[in-house]
């Protein structure tokens, strides 16, 4: 649903969701407001450092507006019930598009392009690896200490790596 920022706090977000889910799951369909619920999830995610695409917030606002309009115009209708009844048709339509001849043709063209470009990409990857220019960037989101994260734990890995290097050097020299 979103992208983690450098200061994302996933345990706090999980706690927020653990508090929100029982409220939503125990609500009847008449009481449940999808738009407000989605907006609440997005608000909690933003507060905890999880960025979301603008289209997701637009979706929440659209649901909220649609639900408000339906409640004013036809209070006897339940948006959840209507959605539940229509979702099968929507899914079947999407599956029909996915299996269509046009989509199969696009997939076949993508496979042909992949088959022709993959050997060159693999050759470049192997050349980089043999020239020691191949690198994988690994980024682990870190919670700042001000937001409850750990302090000074980033040096522990470097110290362990240095100790391992010294041990291996000592073993190599003793042989």
């Amino acid at each position: 649903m979103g992208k983690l920022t450098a200061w994302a706090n996933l345990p706090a977000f999980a706690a927020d969701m653990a508090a929100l889910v029982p409220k939503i799951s125990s609500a009847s369909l008449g009481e449940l407001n999808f738009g407000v619920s989605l907006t609440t999830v997005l608000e909690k995610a933003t507060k905890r450092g999880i960025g979301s695409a603008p289209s997701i917030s637009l979706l929440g606002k659209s649901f909220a507006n649609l639900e408000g309009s339906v409640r004013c115009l036809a209070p006897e209708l339940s948006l959840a019930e209507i959605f539940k009844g229509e979702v099968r048709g929507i899914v079947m339509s999407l599956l029909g598009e996915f299996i269509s001849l046009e989509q199969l043709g696009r997939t076949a063209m993508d496979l042909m392009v992949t088959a022709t470009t993959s050997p060159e990409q693999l050759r470049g990857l192997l050349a980089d690896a043999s020239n020691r220019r191949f690198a994988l960037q690994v980024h682990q989101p870190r919670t700042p200490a001000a937001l409850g994260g750990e302090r000074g734990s980033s040096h522990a890995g470097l110290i362990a790596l240095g100790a391992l290097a010294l041990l291996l050097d000592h073993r190599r020299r003793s042989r």
Side-chain angles (χ1 to χ4, degrees):
M1 184 172 90
K3 186 174 182 177
L4 297 177
T5 61
W7 55 274
N9 190 347
L10 292 179
F13 179 70
D16 290 343
M17 291 302 101
L20 180 66
V21 167
K23 292 176 188 175
I24 294 173
S25 63
S26 64
S28 69
L29 291 177
E31 300 166 346
L32 186 61
N33 191 333
F34 288 116
V36 172
S37 300
L38 182 58
T39 304
T40 303
V41 169
L42 292 174
E43 179 183 306
K44 302 286 185 188
T46 303
K47 179 180 175 186
R48 300 303 183 182
I50 301 169
S52 59
S55 58
I56 300 293
S57 13
L58 284 176
L59 181 67
K61 288 179 182 181
S62 298
F63 265 119
N65 288 338
L66 184 62
E67 280 181 325
S69 299
V70 168
R71 284 191 179 135
C72 286
L73 297 174
E76 72 279 0
L77 292 179
S78 168
L79 189 60
E81 291 297 322
I82 293 171
F83 185 71
K84 195 185 297 183
E86 294 297 322
V87 77
R88 181 181 171 97
I90 293 169
V91 169
M92 294 306 285
S93 174
L94 288 173
L95 280 174
E97 288 178 20
F98 183 72
I99 300 173
S100 70
L101 287 176
E102 183 178 307
Q103 185 62 39
L104 289 175
R106 283 186 191 145
T107 303
M109 293 296 289
D110 286 343
L111 286 173
M112 285 189 265
V113 168
T114 301
T116 57
T117 59
S118 292
E120 184 60 35
Q121 290 177 354
L122 182 61
R123 218 179 344 257
L125 185 69
L126 293 174
D128 285 347
S130 66
N131 293 330
R132 296 182 181 197
R133 288 184 289 147
F134 178 74
L136 293 177
Q137 292 185 1
V138 179
H139 172 71
Q140 181 176 356
R142 188 182 76 77
T143 304
L147 294 174
E150 296 180 19
R151 294 180 190 260
S153 64
S154 61
H155 299 295
L158 292 175
I159 292 171
L161 187 61
L164 179 64
L166 286 172
L167 176 69
L168 292 176
D169 185 53
H170 178 67
R171 286 178 118 188
R172 184 181 57 83
R173 289 183 186 202
S174 66
R175 286 187 184 169

